[in-house]
Amino acid sequence: MRLTLPEPKIDLYSDGFDEHDKLSRKSIGDKLSKLVEDIDDPLVIALDGAWGSGKSFFLKCWVGEHLKREGNTTQTVYFDAFKHDFLDDPLVALTGAIAERFEEANDTAAQEAWKKAKQVAPALGRAIIRAGASVVTAGLLNKADELADAAIKSFSGELDGTVADFWKRESGKRAAMDRFRKALVDLTEPNEEGAPTRKLVIVIDELDRCRPDFALNLLEVIKHFFSVDGVHFILGVNLTELGNCVSARYGQDIDAPLYLQKFVTISMRLRNQIINSNQRSTYLNFFEDLGRKMEIDNKPNFNIGTTYLQYLANSENLSLRGIQQFARLIATTPAVSSKSHEIYSQFILVGLLYMKAFAPEMIDLVRKGEFSWREVERTIKPTHPHEAYDDFNVLSTAWYVCFPDQLSHEFWSEYLGSKLNPIFASYDKNTPYSLLRNYVDIFELT
């Protein structure tokens, strides 16, 4: 039996969704591809999802999947922002990553067009980003190109003398910016009408895990330096956490969502597929695949776990990381005894494991003796039993028998009173705490 499984190996730019699409997200990738191909205006698309929702996995598959599209002329670049946030200048890091991608892809035309952009980027970083100056992009002065060429040749060391003085002047900033943006335009190979005939899509992942100053400087770089037709960005991000970066930098009084609207053109949610009664949850499919690989799919607790995930398929609490934690908890938690009336204990036990994985704050309430029917409704969301879902009936009833005095609905009073009264004595509001203490708070391989 295994408790952890290695992350699936994805060959960037070669693999797509075919071998890796356990969550049936290829259709989302197709919609994303159509969007970036149909729109010429520069886009910044925020692929928004909670931590552990599978954003990185999706984007690593997508950069390869998009290249497989028939007639594709778009180049994709994957940039892990978190791996680069030890650097001071996000522009230099990003231009370097783009250059490496062009080299790996043996894209000779793109390499040539990008060479000057890569060379001029360090000067732009020093002269504009660190100084916090606004970027001016028009009105080049005389001899600006000659001075820019001289500066490019000196970038192996610190700027000094006449060249340093040049970059301090507004004309120098404008010249460098013009050179950088011209390289971007050349990459898109515009036609006679100026519309791009090929596109560049840069995926920036893990932005919300970066230092606040690096993350927000990177957004500024995207906005001011890369706003060129045919150049799109896709941000793999938790917008709530990125908003926390804004608050950390500018204070709690700032309207973080409004601030981020300056940088993000479109946001789309990466979430579990919405299902109806005739469809299976994509998270349930992932859980069952995980159970087989961990060799726990024949255990009673695992089978009840599948019932919970099917029952709560559209819960906002679900995430890939939570599913993995749920499976690990099931693997290390023993089953209760097999007495007939204790099937309810089994369902309560697995419900506690569900809470520990997806709503750990509820476990704290159980420990404090503050767990009530209200928390059950918030987390487990029980509904009236239905003949078509016998397992769901048992799941709901398992929690009802713990809090019969807190149920006011006449239907449930009649249902509990007529069918479950003989076992009321075995359950009360302390049952979840007892199961937590005797089963959940210990680890035992079963």
Side-chain angles (χ1 to χ4, degrees), residues 359-379:
E361 69 278 4
M362 295 300 174
I363 294 296
D364 291 336
L365 294 178
V366 174
R367 288 198 179 98
K368 296 175 183 177
E370 299 174 1
F371 192 69
S372 67
W373 178 250
R374 182 176 61 181
E375 282 71 42
V376 175
E377 287 186 307
R378 287 172 52 194
T379 312

Side-chain angles (χ1 to χ4, degrees), residues 287-288 290-300 302-303:
F287 180 69
E288 291 181 339
L290 194 61
R292 287 188 291 270
K293 292 177 179 177
M294 293 175 64
E295 301 177 0
I296 61 172
D297 56 320
N298 61 342
K299 298 185 181 300
F302 184 85
N303 294 331

